[in-house]
Every structure is written in C-alpha cells, then in structure tokens.
Amino acid sequence: MPLSKHFFKNLFAIPKEYDEQVAQKNRKTLRILFYIALGFGLLLSVVFTVLFILKLQTALEILFYYYSFIVIGGTGLLMLRLKVPVKYMIVFELLCVEFIYIFFMMESTVTNCIIIFLGLLFVTIMFLEIHPVVFSVFFTISLCVFICFKNLDLFYDKQIARSETMQSNVVLLFFTLIFLVFWKRKHIVEEFRHNKELKAQQSNTESVLKNIFPEKVINQMVATGSTNAEVYESVSVLYCDIVNFTEKAASLDPNFVIEELNEIFTAFDEISETYNCMRIKTVGDAYVAVCGIPEENPDHAENIVRCAQEFISYLEEKNKGAKVEWTIRLGVASGKIAAGVVGVKKYVYDIFGETVDRAIKTEESGEIMKVSVSPETYELVKDKIRI
C-alpha cells in the first residue's frame, strides 16, 4: 500500500460502517442548501425580472445569475429525489460554488468576490462532510481559475487583482480552508472511532449483565437505576451438588479442579437454556437454577425436572474414560419464591423463600445421580414424567 494511501486510511478514512450515517447527514444538509438556493433564486429573480421589465438599469447578466439559482436548487432537489449517490451531489454543489465564484470575479471587485467565495466554502465545510481529496482537487481548480483570470485580465477590478499581496492572501486563505477540511475530517474519524469503542464496551457490558441478570431486571436498572424485588407464586427450583467434591478436590491440582468445574457448569448452563431455565448462582460446587422467572412458565416443573435429568446424562457421558468421575445429587422443589438484586457495589441476583429451602433439603436427602422431587413438584409432573 502506498505511503500516502496508508496515511490517509489511518487518519482520514471514515469506517465503512459509518458511510451510510455520513451520507444521511450530508443528504439532509444538501436538501436544506438546495431549498435555500431555490428560494433565493425565485425571490430575487422575480424582483429583478420586474426591474428589468420596468427598465430600471438591471443588467441581463444579473437576471440570468439569479435564474441560475433556480436551476441549481431545482437540479439538486431532483438529484435527491432520484437518490443520486451523495458523493456526486457534493461534486455538483462544489461546481455550483465554482460558478458563483467565476461570476463574481467577472462582475464584482476581487475583494468582494473572495469574501463571498470563502464565506460559501466555510458554510459548506461546516455543514457538509466532504472528502478531503475531492475538496483539494476543487480548490486546486479554483486557484487555477484565479491565476487564469489574473493573466488574462478578466477581473472586474484589475488593479487590486494584480496586487501581489492580494494573490498571496488568496493562496494562503485557500490552503487554510483545505487544512480546515482535513482537520474536520480527522476530528470526525476520531469521533466515529471513539463511538465505536464505546459501543463495543457497552455491548460487552450488556453481554456480561445478561449472564448475571434477567433482561427484565437489566431494563429496570437502566431505566430507574434500581430494581425492586418481585414475588413469583409458581416456580420450580433446582439445587444440584457434586458428591464428595471437597474430598476429591483436596488431592487434585487446583487448576484442574477449576477447569473441571468450569466445563461442567458451562454444560449445565447450555442445558438450562434449552429447557428455558436460568442459572441463579453457583456456590462452590453447588449449582442453583430456576424455571418460571422472570417470565411465567406453566411448564416450569416439567422443564426443570427434564433439565435435571439432562445434567445426569451429561455427567454419565463425561465420566466415560475421564480422569476423575464426578457424581451429583439433585433436588427440585416447586412453589412461591421472592427474587431480586442484592448488594450495592457488587450486585447479585438471588432467590429466597421456603421453596429454595425445600429444594436444598430434597437434594440432601436424595440419591446419587437421581432426581429427587418435592411433593409439590411431584403433583405437577406425575402425569407428564415417569417418577
């Protein structure tokens, strides 16, 4: 890649994902500019047409000049209507500025011409996002036109036009505006990149939050800055505990134990999602999940029992040929719970109530690699699952 292209890409190239955003902004601005040109042309062309008809010393060139604004505005709005690419409309807009520039050089003093020209370009730069290379080419053409007018003595005010100071000031002002275009472009690119980084950080934050809190809770926290505890009348809670984990872990490498726990709990998370269950927390080697919050689920008991059965199936398959075999006890209870965010600096979404306690007691009294259910859960699933 050539050095100049690499330099431009790193400093002034707008990221592709923002191309349409920039185009939309330019489209809106161009619509306003073309409406202004059309209105300006209509108003003054009527005034000067009346003056011309009344023969009040109105030059025909002035009349055509204001008619040209009608053409400029109308053509621009037609291009917008036809959805012409914005880059071509910007070139058209710059050519229109060039036309005004040449007209004033022929009909007005050089000072007046330069002031009007620079004023128009300053407005264009401030309101439009113009490609710096395109603008540089346009300005080079404008400078060449100025030099040609000087050499051919086509200026209205020839004495000022021949002034070396005037020529130096024109060149200086031209390059100042080119610098301004590049500066603005660099500022916009930096802003886009900054916004992109912020969106990436926000997306990562949201992804982390979704792994911790239900979406309903996240929306409430974003909207109000806090969240209220809610009571759910009918849910099912799963409490799963790895049998003899502490004794086994004591004789194993800590890194291996963490990797094993991470692998097992990750698999449990995937299974839970399959059955519309949600992991609430892990406490050491214990895994707690619930079904029926934050959205009600009439099949909460059946879903969580089948989820628990899948836990067992997964471990049975994993234990085949494994270095260490892991076994679990599972308890499921159904009923009423309260759920909410606990903490001020470190938030934890947790569940409370007798149903949670029953799930723990059911697990403790259960058999290894079997799903133990409370009487309430049994009544809900006895006709759906073989117990």
Side-chain angles (χ1 to χ4, degrees), residues 91-104:
V91 171
F92 171 72
E93 192 267 348
L94 290 175
L95 290 173
C96 294
V97 173
E98 191 83 58
F99 164 77
I100 297 169
Y101 172 52
I102 293 171
F103 178 86
F104 270 88

Side-chain angles (χ1 to χ4, degrees), residues 149-268:
F149 267 61
K150 170 185 173 294
N151 293 334
L152 297 174
D153 278 341
L154 296 175
F155 286 107
Y156 176 83
D157 191 333
K158 296 179 175 57
Q159 186 174 357
I160 296 177
R162 294 193 188 101
S163 167
E164 295 297 328
T165 303
M166 169 60 74
Q167 294 171 37
S168 301
N169 287 341
V170 168
V171 173
L172 181 63
L173 287 170
F174 278 15
F175 281 102
T176 300
L177 280 181
I178 290 177
F179 170 79
L180 184 61
V181 172
F182 275 89
W183 174 85
K184 182 188 176 188
R185 180 76 162 204
K186 185 174 183 294
H187 175 73
I188 288 174
V189 170
E190 287 175 350
E191 184 179 353
F192 280 142
R193 287 176 180 166
H194 179 65
N195 289 340
K196 186 177 181 180
E197 289 174 2
L198 286 178
K199 286 182 179 178
Q201 291 175 6
Q202 184 180 359
S203 178
N204 290 336
T205 302
E206 289 177 356
S207 178
V208 171
L209 287 175
K210 285 178 180 178
N211 288 329
I212 302 173
F213 306 126
E215 189 171 351
K216 181 180 178 181
V217 173
I218 295 172
N219 294 336
Q220 191 176 31
M221 291 180 72
V222 170
T224 64
S226 61
T227 181
N228 299 322
E230 290 190 59
V231 175
Y232 297 90
E233 297 294 336
S234 183
V235 301
S236 290
V237 178
L238 164 66
Y239 191 89
C240 171
D241 190 46
I242 299 177
V243 179
N244 297 328
F245 176 81
T246 304
E247 291 82 355
K248 288 182 180 180
S251 60
L252 296 170
D253 178 59
N255 289 326
F256 173 78
V257 173
I258 294 298
E259 287 174 5
E260 286 288 282
L261 270 182
N262 182 56
E263 183 182 341
I264 292 169
F265 287 165
T266 299
F268 285 2

